[in-house]
Amino acid sequence: MKYIYVFLMAALFLTGCGSEPEVKGDQYTLKECKEELLEAEDFSQGESIDKIVVVKKERKMYLYKDGKVQSTLPVSLGKNPVGHKQQQGDNRTPEGEFWISRKLCSPKYYRSLCISYPRPEDQASAARRGVNPGGAVTIHAQPTWNADGKGDDYTLSQNWTQGCVAVTNSAMKELWYAVREGVPIVIR
């Protein structure tokens, strides 16, 4: 019996059964993701987290439950990572207190957790300066060329986004099922 289990696990590992997101052309397929959202199967109470903290200078994301760190994930940030986002196109990752405003199935980045940027104070500050504060800031996974995760070491060694927080596809799977809309996120 032990050998059958080892054989089955090896077969699953070698075939990648369900381990990689499906890509068609240059986009992720969205069917599975949309079905999960539609059927409310995008959350697991047992694996839930209640707070996310991103420390930009460490390029780390800390996942909390009941005040205790449950997991630490490496991240990539905007191409211009120092300081708070000032306007659209500055490639900065915003800083401050936000919340997860929704989950998004993404043909470009697999799955995304939308962050509540810009806040009213960000909008007011940008308006005073006569600029657009930007928006559509997310925690997202990897581009399709890295769907299999073989380029994770490269992408995690760079700050390459336009102001988002990027994680690996496997980390996004962990986040996707652990996070509900409304979970606070602090970026500092």
Side-chain angles (χ1 to χ4, degrees):
M1 187 67 167
K2 178 181 172 186
Y3 295 107
I4 293 173
Y5 176 77
V6 171
F7 174 77
L8 288 174
M9 293 309 293
L12 285 173
F13 177 77
L14 293 173
T15 62
C17 181
S19 63
E20 295 175 15
E22 186 178 350
V23 176
K24 288 194 178 174
D26 63 350
Q27 296 190 335
Y28 287 102
T29 59
L30 303 180
K31 183 180 179 199
E32 176 186 6
C33 179
K34 287 183 175 183
E35 285 175 358
E36 284 180 3
L37 288 175
L38 185 64
E39 297 172 15
E41 294 177 351
D42 61 314
F43 180 72
S44 172
Q45 185 67 41
E47 300 168 11
S48 68
I49 59 166
D50 54 30
K51 184 176 182 180
I52 301 169
V53 175
V54 175
V55 180
K56 290 169 57 172
K57 69 180 177 183
E58 295 176 11
R59 296 182 57 205
K60 300 255 188 232
M61 177 184 294
Y62 298 90
L63 307 179
Y64 287 83
K65 182 172 185 174
D66 299 325
K68 296 179 183 164
V69 175
Q70 301 299 303
S71 184
T72 303
L73 304 172
V75 299
S76 297
L77 303 167
K79 292 180 255 187
N80 185 15
V82 178
H84 177 57
K85 186 164 193 62
Q86 299 295 312
Q87 67 185 49
Q88 183 174 4
D90 67 6
N91 292 317
R92 288 184 175 169
T93 302
E95 297 175 348
E97 295 181 10
F98 309 94
W99 69 90
I100 300 301
S101 57
R102 70 179 253 197
K103 292 183 174 185
L104 180 68
C105 303
S106 172
K108 189 174 180 183
Y109 295 115
Y110 180 46
R111 295 179 183 195
S112 301
L113 302 173
C114 300
I115 298 172
S116 63
Y117 176 87
R119 302 164 297 181
E121 59 263 37
D122 299 313
Q123 293 171 337
S125 175
R128 283 192 300 276
R129 290 178 284 110
V131 297
N132 181 330
V137 177
T138 68
I139 300 170
H140 64 68
Q142 297 293 299
T144 55
W145 67 263
N146 191 27
D148 61 7
K150 291 179 181 170
D152 286 350
D153 288 342
Y154 174 75
T155 61
L156 291 173
S157 72
Q158 311 289 316
N159 285 321
W160 55 272
T161 76
Q162 294 178 343
C164 295
V165 177
V167 297
T168 64
N169 286 352
S170 59
M172 178 50 72
K173 275 191 173 181
E174 177 183 344
L175 282 169
W176 187 260
Y177 297 108
V179 173
R180 281 196 162 163
E181 292 174 6
V183 166
I185 175 169
V186 176
I187 304 174
R188 58 176 192 240

